[in-house]
Amino acid sequence: MNALLLFGSLGWPELLVIALIILLLFGAKRIPELMKSLGKGVKSFKEGVKEIDEQINQAEEDTDKK
């Protein structure tokens, strides 16, 4: 909740300004590379969370069997 108050509400004008700043900083040619890297990072994070969840479920099943 505090994070929402920190950033306030972002509307279209703010998002457009952020997109323009990113475009100026990185250039149009590097943005696809950045998005691809971001996608790989998110995928890796999700796989890690799924793996931890499976380990927790397995541990719960093992304690239930004992």
Side-chain angles (χ1 to χ4, degrees), residues 9-57:
S9 61
L10 293 176
W12 284 107
E14 292 87 2
L15 293 175
L16 183 61
V17 169
I18 292 169
L20 287 173
I21 291 171
I22 290 172
L23 182 63
L24 290 172
L25 287 175
F26 297 108
K29 292 182 181 180
R30 291 205 45 213
I31 290 177
E33 294 173 20
L34 292 171
M35 293 298 112
K36 185 176 180 181
S37 297
L38 181 64
K40 286 182 180 180
V42 169
K43 182 180 178 183
S44 174
F45 177 77
K46 285 183 178 182
E47 288 173 354
V49 169
K50 183 178 178 183
E51 185 176 312
I52 290 172
D53 191 37
E54 290 173 355
Q55 289 176 356
I56 291 172
N57 289 338

